[in-house]
């Protein structure tokens, strides 16, 4: 009985542990003096943006709530329609709540990290990681709790799986809005502040004279924290749902195959909590090594725990326990190797970033060319890894084995998102230390933490994209199985000599490029408005450049907020509307082709943009450390240009591909019964 309801019990335990962490964080002292005013401005800006964003998304969610209720009510009865609409609302609410709470803790932890840096690196790292872990554990515990509760409440219903699909759609919808809106906000503010501050006025990053710095600090939280949390919550939830659907369709009447994905998530929440206690600085003071140690412990403990779990759950079933177990190990290996691969292409320690810094010596153009080339090249190893993982896990246990591999990979998301959310906390802490004139020793520690934070954000984005690609493959498999089931096994399948499949492939392949182009243009347009406002303030506010007058920070925050909300609507509707149009006009074969086409190009676009953008960022930082002429040199000027181009690559368009391809798949699952 405990095993059956362990997903709910462990989720509630993890939420209780999160409240314990929040209590410990809030007991730490906050920074004093100027830092109080800066922190308050960041908190108010982030809260203002999220309120506007969720108000806009809420209106869309309410419309879809009634649309789902009416649409499915006509087909299956009013109560079924209401149940699906309610499941949709639960998924949407928890996705938004994950990002909101994560952002709230991030804006509370940043000032405390800046203050704790006075006591040394170890104290500051511990606090920053705890702040990130709050977000990570909330994402997985909310995801597991939502899917488990909806399943157990509706398990006796004939429409149990449809309720789960509606839950996944709700999570997906909020995720794509959060990723797009947060991404536009954070990079428009960052680019606008950098173009005037660092390029035109030649003042340092996070200089309090720059009117755009508060908007930039706010953006770190609403993009990298709230956006990432909603993204991984959605990936975690829809992957669990897809694995459960496959278990139901492939092994009819055998609930063990439906419940196993939930149990895998349960084990890894516990191992993530245990692993978090191993994030401690050693004698070498290696910050990245300390966090890798925690991730490694979580992965190893999960690998140990999965075998008895699977052997106990599958007792008496005519399946190979070892093959199912090995499939989960494949997923854990992919998670670990994606960290290694992405760090190689984005860390200052390795040749790709250093060669990009070297290319900056010969000018802006060679920096851009090299950065694009590194982004393209960085797709090779991840795609080969994903292909091998798919082949091996399928060979071991069929498409269900692939589903278990993806579930295992995502099961350790608690500690991995914790590592990611550490990034915006330390970024803000560094900015607060800089703007409030904290002692040089303190700023040295916050700078070291922030430098590692750039790498952690990069490697976790690589993990997120790989998991999104594999999750989308599992969702497509669920769609394919549903098509076969609904057509009474007489469906023609998805074959390449079918013109509808080819048409779908081409349309699907187009979507990530079209989607990314909208986001890049949105960042450019919004950043242009920020640049105009910052220039106006430097021109009109006497004494601003000299530091004797105070900038009007709120005006930049307001400009970016309004523009981000406006610009996010059109691209967010693309993955919702296009599959509906293709499905109803061209049919299920074309829709299946669209899903595969979007997955293939989406993985390439997502990886190349996020990795290339991160490489540009760290090449600039490598030069700023004194290499190739250091700050103010010609190479540094070229690197700043590359970093500015790379900002919307790595933090707006690239990461937003993740939820986009999953929304396409979940919408297809939702409408498949109507197009057969």
């Amino acid at each position: 009985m405990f095993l059956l309801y362990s997903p709910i019990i462990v989720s509630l335990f993890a939420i209780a542990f999160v409240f314990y962490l929040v209590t410990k964080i809030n007991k730490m002292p906050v920074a004093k003096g100027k830092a109080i005013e800066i922190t308050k401005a960041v908190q108010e800006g982030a809260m203002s943006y999220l309120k506007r964003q969720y108000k806009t998304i809420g209106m869309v969610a309410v419309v879809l709530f009634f649309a789902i209720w009416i649409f499915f009510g006509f087909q299956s009865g009013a109560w079924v329609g209401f149940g699906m609409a309610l499941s949709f609302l639960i998924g949407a609410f928890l996705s938004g709540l994950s990002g909101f709470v994560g952002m709230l803790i991030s804006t509370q932890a940043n000032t405390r990290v800046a203050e704790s840096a006075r006591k040394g690196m170890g104290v500051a790292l511990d606090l920053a990681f705890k702040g990130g872990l709050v977000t990570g554990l909330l994402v997985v515990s909310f995801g597991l709790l939502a899917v488990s509760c909806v399943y157990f409440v509706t398990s006796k219903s004939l429409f149990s799986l449809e309720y789960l699909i509606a839950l996944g759609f709700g999570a997906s919808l909020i995720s794509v809005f959060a990723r797009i809106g947060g991404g536009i906000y954070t990079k428009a503010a960052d680019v606008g502040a950098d173009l005037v501050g660092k390029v035109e006025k030649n003042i340092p990053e996070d200089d309090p004279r720059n009117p755009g710095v508060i908007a930039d600090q706010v953006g770190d939280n609403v993009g990298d924290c709230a956006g990432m949390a909603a993204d991984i919550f959605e990936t975690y939830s829809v992957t669990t749902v897809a694995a459960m659907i496959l278990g139901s369709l492939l092994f009819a009447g055998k609930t063990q195959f439906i419940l196993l994905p939930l149990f895998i998530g349960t084990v890894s929440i516990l191992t993530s909590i245990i692993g978090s206690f191993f994030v401690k600085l050693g004698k070498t003071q290696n910050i990245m090594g300390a966090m890798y140690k925690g991730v490694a412990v979580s992965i190893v403990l999960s690998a140990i725990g999965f075998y008895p779990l699977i052997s106990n759950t599958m007792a008496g079933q005519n399946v190979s326990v070892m093959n199912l177990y090995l499939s989960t190990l494949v997923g854990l290996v992919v998670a670990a190797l994606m960290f290694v691969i992405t760090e190689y292409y984005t860390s200052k320690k390795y040749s790709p970033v250093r060669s990009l810094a070297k290319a900056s010596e010969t000018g802006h153009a060679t920096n851009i060319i090299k950065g694009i080339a590194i982004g393209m090249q960085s797709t090779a190893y991840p795609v080969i890894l994903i292909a091998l993982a798919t082949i091996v896990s399928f060979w071991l246990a069929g498409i269900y084995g692939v589903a278990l591999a993806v579930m295992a990979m995502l099961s350790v998301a608690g500690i991995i998102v914790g590592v990611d959310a550490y990034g915006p906390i330390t970024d803000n802490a560094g900015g607060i230390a800089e703007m409030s004139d904290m002692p040089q020793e303190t700023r040295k520690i916050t700078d070291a933490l922030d430098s590692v934070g750039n790498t952690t954000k990069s490697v976790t984005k690589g993990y997120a994209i790989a998991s999104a690609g594999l999750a989308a493959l599992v969702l497509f498999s669920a769609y394919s199985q549903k098509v076969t089931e609904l057509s009474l096994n007489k469906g023609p399948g998805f074959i390449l000599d079918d013109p509808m499949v080819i048409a779908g492939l081409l349309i699907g392949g187009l979507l990530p490029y079209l989607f990314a182009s909208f986001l890049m243009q949105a960042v450019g347009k919004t950043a242009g408005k920020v640049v105009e406002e910052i220039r106006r303030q430097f021109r009109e506010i006497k004494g601003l450049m000299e530091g004797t007058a105070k900038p009007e920070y709120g005006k930049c925050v307001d400009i970016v907020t309004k523009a981000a909300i406006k610009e996010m609507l059109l691209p967010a509707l693309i993955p919702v509307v296009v599959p509906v149009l293709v499905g109803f006009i061209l049919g299920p074969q074309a829709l299946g082709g669209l899903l595969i086409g979007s997955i293939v190009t989406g993985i390439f676009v997502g990886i190349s943009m996020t990795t290339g953008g991160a490489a540009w960022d760290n090449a600039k930082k490598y030069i700023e450390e004194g290499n190739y002429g250091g700050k103010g040199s010609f190479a540094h000027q070229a690197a700043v240009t590359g970093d500015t181009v790379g900002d919307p690559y790595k933090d707006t368009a690239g990461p937003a591909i993740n939820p986009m391809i999953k929304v396409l798949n979940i919408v297809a699952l939702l409408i498949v019964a109507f197009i057969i």
Side-chain angles (χ1 to χ4, degrees):
M1 184 62 72
F2 174 80
L3 179 62
L4 182 62
Y5 294 106
S6 61
I8 295 175
I9 296 168
V10 170
S11 297
L12 293 173
F13 168 75
I15 293 170
F17 182 71
V18 163
F19 279 105
Y20 164 75
L21 290 178
V22 171
T23 302
K24 290 201 72 173
I25 291 168
N26 286 335
K27 284 182 179 178
M28 298 297 289
V30 299
K32 305 294 190 297
K34 290 182 183 178
I36 295 175
E37 185 180 348
I38 296 163
T39 302
K40 187 177 179 182
V42 172
Q43 290 173 343
E44 288 177 352
M47 192 63 70
S48 173
Y49 171 75
L50 282 188
K51 281 181 179 177
R52 290 194 191 187
Q53 184 185 60
Y54 287 152
K55 182 179 179 181
T56 304
I57 298 172
M59 289 188 287
V60 176
V62 167
V63 171
L64 286 172
F65 172 84
F66 286 105
I68 291 170
W69 186 356
I70 295 168
F71 197 64
F72 287 93
F74 274 121
Q75 185 202 35
S76 307
W79 280 110
V80 173
F82 177 74
M84 292 190 68
L86 185 61
S87 298
F88 161 80
L89 212 56
I90 291 170
F93 174 75
L94 288 178
S95 180
L97 185 62
S98 298
F100 180 80
V101 175
M103 183 278 301
L104 197 62
I105 298 304
S106 176
T107 56
Q108 290 177 349
N110 53 22
T111 183
R112 291 172 167 84
V113 170
E115 181 65 22
S116 66
R118 297 177 188 269
K119 300 177 183 177
M121 183 79 76
V123 178
L125 170 63
D126 182 63
L127 185 57
F129 178 70
K130 280 190 172 78
L133 189 63
V134 167
T135 303
L137 290 179
L138 276 181
V139 165
V140 293
S141 55
F142 278 171
L144 187 62
L145 184 64
V147 176
S148 302
C149 287
V150 170
Y151 173 73
F152 285 124
V153 169
T154 64
S155 58
K156 303 297 182 184
S157 169
L158 293 174
F159 299 94
S160 177
L161 298 178
E162 279 72 14
Y163 294 141
L164 288 175
I165 294 170
L167 173 80
F169 178 51
S172 298
L173 183 75
I174 299 303
S175 169
V176 76
F177 272 106
R179 260 306 190 192
I180 292 171
I184 293 171
Y185 186 111
T186 182
K187 288 304 109 180
D190 193 4
V191 169
D194 284 354
L195 283 175
V196 181
K198 289 194 287 189
V199 178
E200 294 182 10
K201 297 297 182 180
N202 198 28
I203 58 178
E205 191 169 3
D206 297 322
D207 191 300
R209 292 172 291 177
N210 191 331
V213 292
I214 294 297
D216 186 11
Q217 296 281 327
V218 171
D220 292 330
N221 295 288
V222 300
D224 288 328
C225 193
M228 180 66 164
D231 183 3
I232 297 295
F233 172 87
E234 176 253 356
T235 304
Y236 187 93
S237 302
V238 300
T239 301
T240 307
V241 168
M244 294 170 73
I245 291 171
L246 283 175
S248 173
L249 295 174
L250 296 170
F251 307 96
K254 297 182 178 181
T255 56
Q256 294 94 329
F257 293 91
I258 301 175
L259 294 172
L260 184 57
L262 296 176
F263 296 153
I264 287 172
T266 302
V267 168
S268 290
I269 286 180
L270 294 174
T271 63
S272 292
I273 292 174
I274 295 169
S276 69
F277 289 100
F278 287 82
V279 180
K280 301 288 182 185
L281 276 180
K283 293 180 181 179
T284 60
Q285 297 286 290
N286 186 336
I287 301 170
M288 198 72 193
M291 285 189 281
Y292 275 174
K293 188 163 52 178
V295 173
V297 168
S298 300
I299 289 175
V300 170
L301 290 178
S302 294
I304 294 170
F306 286 163
Y307 185 77
L309 168 71
I310 294 172
S311 60
N312 185 50
T313 305
M314 292 300 166
Q317 298 298 315
N318 188 26
V319 294
S320 169
V321 168
M322 182 55 70
N323 282 9
L324 294 179
Y325 172 65
L326 290 175
S327 295
T328 63
L329 292 191
V330 169
L332 294 176
V333 168
V334 172
L337 289 181
M338 279 305 301
F339 263 60
V340 174
I341 293 168
T342 311
E343 186 182 7
Y344 171 73
Y345 280 105
T346 59
S347 173
K348 292 176 287 185
K349 295 185 293 183
Y350 302 110
S351 61
V353 167
R354 294 190 175 192
S355 66
L356 179 53
K358 175 69 175 172
S360 304
E361 286 191 306
T362 51
H364 301 254
T366 48
N367 172 281
I368 299 297
I369 292 168
K370 185 69 174 179
I372 293 173
I374 288 173
M376 290 178 173
Q377 186 186 98
S378 70
T379 62
Y381 289 132
V383 168
I384 291 170
L385 179 63
I386 291 169
L388 286 174
T390 304
I391 292 169
V392 172
S393 54
F394 187 88
W395 175 74
L396 286 167
I399 193 62
Y400 189 69
V402 178
L404 290 187
V406 186
M407 190 64 222
M409 181 182 179
L410 278 163
S411 69
V412 291
I415 193 163
I416 291 175
V417 173
V419 169
D420 177 85
Y422 155 96
I425 292 173
T426 55
D427 195 345
N428 271 195
I432 290 168
E434 172 82 23
M435 295 174 69
S436 58
D437 298 320
M438 286 188 176
Q440 190 62 39
E441 297 77 16
T442 301
R443 286 155 66 177
K444 187 176 179 182
I445 289 174
T446 57
D447 286 348
L449 293 169
D450 181 26
S451 177
V452 172
N454 285 312
T455 303
T456 64
K457 287 187 288 186
S458 301
V459 296
T460 47
K461 283 187 178 76
Y463 163 83
I465 293 169
S467 62
L470 283 165
L473 285 173
V474 174
L475 284 165
F476 169 75
S477 299
Y479 171 80
S480 180
Q481 291 289 330
K482 288 288 286 183
V483 170
T484 301
E485 180 193 46
L486 292 169
S487 57
L488 302 175
N489 298 313
K490 296 176 183 177
F494 302 101
I495 50 178
L496 290 178
D497 60 0
D498 185 338
M500 288 300 180
V501 173
I502 295 294
L505 283 168
L506 293 172
I507 296 170
L510 160 71
L511 291 181
Y513 287 96
L514 185 64
F515 183 78
S517 75
F518 279 123
L519 299 189
M520 294 291 287
Q521 290 182 73
V523 171
K525 189 189 304 182
T526 307
K529 294 178 181 178
V530 176
V531 166
E532 290 172 4
E533 173 60 23
I534 296 174
R535 284 174 176 169
R536 182 196 68 77
Q537 292 195 32
F538 273 117
R539 186 173 60 249
E540 296 180 6
I541 300 177
K542 294 180 180 179
L544 183 56
M545 191 62 186
E546 292 74 22
T548 57
K550 184 180 175 181
E552 297 173 346
Y553 297 121
K555 291 198 173 180
C556 287
V557 172
D558 194 53
I559 286 170
V560 184
T561 298
K562 289 178 179 177
I565 298 298
K566 178 183 175 183
E567 297 289 344
M568 76 177 182
L569 289 173
L570 177 60
L573 291 175
I574 288 175
V576 177
V577 174
V578 173
V580 173
L581 293 176
V582 169
F584 280 97
I585 296 172
L586 300 180
Q589 273 62 46
L591 183 53
L594 179 145
L595 300 182
I596 287 294
S598 68
I599 293 168
V600 172
T601 60
I603 290 174
F604 284 98
V605 172
I607 292 174
S608 65
M609 294 187 95
T610 53
T611 307
W616 266 313
D617 186 4
N618 281 332
K620 178 202 68 175
K621 287 181 169 58
Y622 183 67
I623 292 173
E624 288 174 343
E625 291 174 354
N627 301 289
Y628 302 115
K631 283 187 178 182
S633 65
F634 181 66
H636 183 237
Q637 293 172 18
V640 168
T641 299
D643 177 38
T644 306
V645 173
D647 272 338
Y649 263 57
K650 68 181 174 66
D651 289 326
T652 307
I657 299 293
N658 301 353
M660 189 213 75
I661 60 177
K662 295 193 297 296
V663 171
L664 289 169
N665 281 269
I666 205 77
V667 169
L669 265 176
L670 202 61
I671 66 170
V672 63
F674 298 94
I675 60 175
I676 298 296

